[in-house]
Amino acid sequence: MPFSSDDIPNPRQSVFRERREDAINSYLQRTPTIYRGSIHIHPASDDWSRRREDAPASLFLTGAIGVGKTHTAWQASRQWLATTVDRTGNMPSIETWRSTALFDALRPDNRDYDAKALTRILQNADLLYVDDLAAARVSPTGWTQERLYEIFDERYINRRPVLITCDVFPNQISHIVGDRVASRLSEMCRDGVLLLEGDDRRVSGVAA
Ligand SMILES: Nc1ncnc2c1ncn2[C@@H]1O[C@H](COP(=O)(O)OP(=O)(O)O)[C@@H](O)[C@H]1O
Ligand SMILES: [Mg+2]
């Protein structure tokens, strides 16, 4: 079949494509190995990741242990990254944290992180992905909850998106993140709470 001019990417498209590949490759390098494979994800999370017109800005993935929340979130965040580079030509910043590591990093006595500097990074990242938000056995103390409030309030007022996985609903996390964060998260994710259903894939052997 002969080539038409539509088949030849214009220089802008080529540059964006190259940037997208670079972005995905560097994101894959900081993705834990088991989450690197490409998987099919729930259509609503696919819509979110491709930033479709009616899709919510933030996504709250919930469901029982083992239904695929974390795998879905990594796949969706990769697609979100690709979509964003395609649209803007810019490499968005994505902060990915397990809740337990995040709460620990934000503690006032943590020597590895400057909590104030980290707070600013998490306020301003283009996407903040927090995995397993309700996982912490010990809830953050007042000081750490205050940092969480600063992070989520700043994102809330600037409409910056979050991607959360959690085995309970947003209205059941106040005891972990505090009332003010829970309230903001509920609003940010109002149209973006997605319940993944099914058996524990680790136990049932329906794993990817
Ligand atoms: N879309 C999928 N297709 C096939 N297997 C999947 C999919 N999502 C997750 N899995 C498998 O299910 C298991 C649990 O996934 P995970 O994301 O860790 O669950 P959760 O975070 O809900 O506890 C893993 O073994 C994973 O390989
Ligand atoms: Mg998980």
Side-chain angles (χ1 to χ4, degrees), residues 34-35 38-42 62-75 129 131-132 165-167 196 199-208:
I34 64 163
Y35 304 124
S38 187
I39 55 164
H40 286 291
I41 57 175
H42 189 288
T62 186
I65 292 169
V67 289
K69 301 181 295 296
T70 303
H71 277 72
T72 299
W74 280 103
Q75 175 75 30
Y129 162 27
D131 186 50
D132 225 350
T165 73
C166 188
D167 55 12
L196 297 181
D199 296 329
D200 183 339
R201 290 175 186 259
R202 295 190 197 97
V203 176
S204 62
V206 208

Side-chain angles (χ1 to χ4, degrees), residues 81-92:
L81 173 63
T83 304
T84 304
V85 178
D86 282 346
R87 287 209 186 155
T88 65
N90 295 325
M91 182 106 80

